Amino acid sequence: MIFFRKILFPFAVLYGWITQLRNFLYDTGIFKSYAFDIPIIAVGNLSVGGTGKTPQIEYLIRLLSEKYRVATLSRGYKRQSKGFILANDTSTASQLGTEPFQFYKKFQNTLVAVDADRKNGIEQLLSLPDKPEVILLDDAFQHRKVKAGFYILLTSYDDLFCDDFILPMGNLRESRSGVKRADCIVVTKCPETISNEEQDNIKSKLGNYKLIFFSSIAYDTSIYSEKTAIKIAEIKNNDKLLLAGIAKPKTFFAYLQNENDILLKFSDHHHFTDKDDILNIKKQAKNNLIITTEKDFVRLNDSISKEQLFYLPIKTSFIFGGNDFDKTILNYVGKSTRNS
């Protein structure tokens, strides 16, 4: 694998040059970025793969929605539709994409929209009679056409962007210098026992010049179906099938499994087919519970018995500095709205 990646080095250099040129053209104004008279928070990363963008967006929705009318805008990755769509009661996961559909189902008072053209998406949201007061851009760190007012850069504890290299030799979407656009960095998926010394070491590696926060994934103590909830302690030792179609499912499996459980791992954003995937899942599960991630649940819910299919919710939980993070976000939004 190391040898193969070394072969890709020239392609990585070329890709890095192209992305740096693109950023230069935006930074110098040759390519135009559009700003809006509304607080816009962009959440994203420098690398491909799961850094916890969805739970971070949900954290911001919970933080802001009590005081502000909040909208989320995503491109709707792998959706089977095009253009601007505002979620409503007839929307489906295939129409919106998995994450936006999840936002819509969980947060009924939040406007949820998808559009690959974020500028057009924002304009459409602002044309609504009951327009939002805050817009959250999901996975938009590299979307330079829109200039957000605040950028949150996520990087995983076990895969820091400063230790990585640009595609295809590594997993970075752009050069590590892209960090300069971030207003704060959140190191995600940290162990809850991370020491102050280790935090200081990571801060030093990341540059020490930004606001840097540390968060972990907090798993719920229950699993949920559309009909009921069950405490994990009640089923932990029962035989079950655990299923995940996310980038890094290791901790999800570890939290739930016993030695007799069947583990099924699919690629991130996997599209489950009735003919192959669903039949195989049902065959292997037999009559046992099927427990999956919240993202996968919205794709599987119409294909598997509601008595058998459950999901495990997760949340972003700040280890240290959570109050400071909240104040930073609320101060930015407050100064940018009529509610300041």
Side-chain angles (χ1 to χ4, degrees):
M1 179 61 73
I2 294 176
F3 175 74
F4 181 69
R5 289 211 162 190
K6 286 182 178 179
I7 293 176
L8 295 174
F9 177 77
F11 300 98
V13 172
L14 176 61
Y15 179 78
W17 183 83
I18 293 171
T19 57
Q20 285 188 318
L21 174 62
R22 176 178 179 271
N23 282 328
F24 171 79
L25 294 173
Y26 274 110
D27 291 340
T28 56
I30 298 173
F31 285 177
K32 187 174 181 181
S33 294
Y34 295 86
F36 293 86
D37 188 22
I38 182 176
I40 297 175
I41 301 173
V43 176
N45 48 27
L46 293 181
S47 62
V48 297
T51 54
K53 294 184 293 292
T54 300
Q56 183 64 60
I57 290 286
E58 292 185 355
Y59 183 96
L60 292 171
I61 293 173
R62 293 186 183 97
L63 175 65
L64 295 167
S65 60
E66 288 188 7
K67 188 174 181 181
Y68 301 101
R69 193 158 51 255
V70 177
T72 68
L73 178 61
S74 312
R75 61 173 168 158
Y77 184 61
K78 287 192 174 182
R79 64 184 170 119
Q80 297 174 9
S81 61
K82 294 183 179 180
F84 175 83
I85 297 177
L86 182 66
N88 58 44
D89 290 343
T90 66
S91 298
T92 63
S94 62
Q95 182 187 47
L96 296 176
T98 305
E99 291 88 349
F101 186 70
Q102 181 176 317
F103 298 151
Y104 179 72
K105 296 293 284 185
K106 291 181 73 171
F107 303 103
Q108 294 296 309
N109 293 324
T110 297
L111 295 169
V112 176
V114 293
D115 197 336
D117 183 343
R118 308 298 172 91
K119 174 179 175 289
N120 180 70
I122 293 170
E123 290 170 345
Q124 294 292 329
L125 285 168
L126 295 182
S127 70
L128 295 173
D130 196 20
K131 65 183 181 181
E133 297 171 301
V134 185
I135 296 177
L136 306 177
L137 298 182
D138 181 23
D139 195 11
F141 199 79
Q142 283 77 33
H143 196 91
R144 301 296 307 275
K145 189 176 180 180
V146 168
K147 182 174 176 57
F150 196 93
Y151 286 89
I152 301 174
L153 178 65
L154 308 183
T155 186
S156 293
Y157 165 82
D158 60 352
D159 192 18
L160 299 172
F161 69 79
C162 59
D163 296 331
D164 207 344
F165 201 76
I166 203 160
L167 288 164
M169 187 176 174
N171 294 313
L172 296 184
R173 298 173 171 180
E174 61 173 300
S175 163
R176 284 170 279 187
S177 63
V179 68
K180 66 182 181 221
R181 300 198 303 277
D183 293 287
C184 76
I185 298 171
V186 179
V187 182
T188 63
K189 303 183 180 181
C190 297
E192 294 181 355
T193 56
I194 186 172
S195 66
N196 290 332
E197 180 181 4
E198 189 173 8
Q199 290 181 59
D200 290 340
N201 289 338
I202 291 174
K203 287 179 180 179
S204 179
K205 292 177 69 175
L206 295 179
N208 261 333
Y209 60 92
K210 296 282 182 182
L211 287 171
I212 300 177
F213 302 95
F214 294 83
S215 70
S216 64
I217 293 297
Y219 289 102
D220 205 298
T221 57
S222 297
I223 56 171
Y224 299 83
S225 70
E226 277 203 350
K227 296 185 174 183
T228 188
I230 304 175
K231 291 289 185 182
I232 291 174
E234 297 177 16
I235 53 90
K236 186 69 179 285
N237 295 323
N238 296 351
D239 293 348
K240 51 194 176 291
L241 185 145
L242 306 179
L243 183 159
I246 57 177
K248 298 175 182 178
K250 183 178 178 180
T251 54
F252 167 78
F253 287 142
Y255 185 74
L256 292 167
Q257 76 178 101
N258 67 54
E259 59 184 10
N260 295 320
D261 288 341
I262 296 172
L263 309 184
L264 290 183
K265 182 181 182 300
F266 295 87
S267 60
D268 196 16
H269 291 274
H270 180 75
H271 176 65
F272 296 96
T273 61
D274 288 336
K275 184 177 179 180
D276 299 317
D277 296 327
I278 304 301
L279 286 175
N280 180 52
I281 291 167
K282 291 178 178 178
K283 181 179 178 180
Q284 294 205 50
K286 298 179 182 177
N287 293 320
N288 295 326
L289 291 183
I290 300 170
I291 307 175
T292 188
T293 68
E294 201 163 2
K295 287 185 181 181
D296 294 310
F297 181 83
V298 300
R299 293 196 290 266
L300 292 167
N301 192 31
D302 293 331
S303 302
I304 297 176
S305 166
K306 299 186 187 319
E307 285 74 27
Q308 190 175 21
L309 183 66
F310 287 75
Y311 68 90
L312 175 68
I314 62 173
K315 289 183 180 180
T316 285
S317 176
F318 283 90
I319 298 172
F320 297 105
N323 289 336
D324 292 334
F325 177 85
D326 293 355
K327 288 178 182 177
T328 299
I329 298 301
L330 291 170
N331 285 342
Y332 159 68
V333 174
K335 290 176 182 178
S336 305
T337 68
R338 61 181 172 79
N339 294 313
S340 59

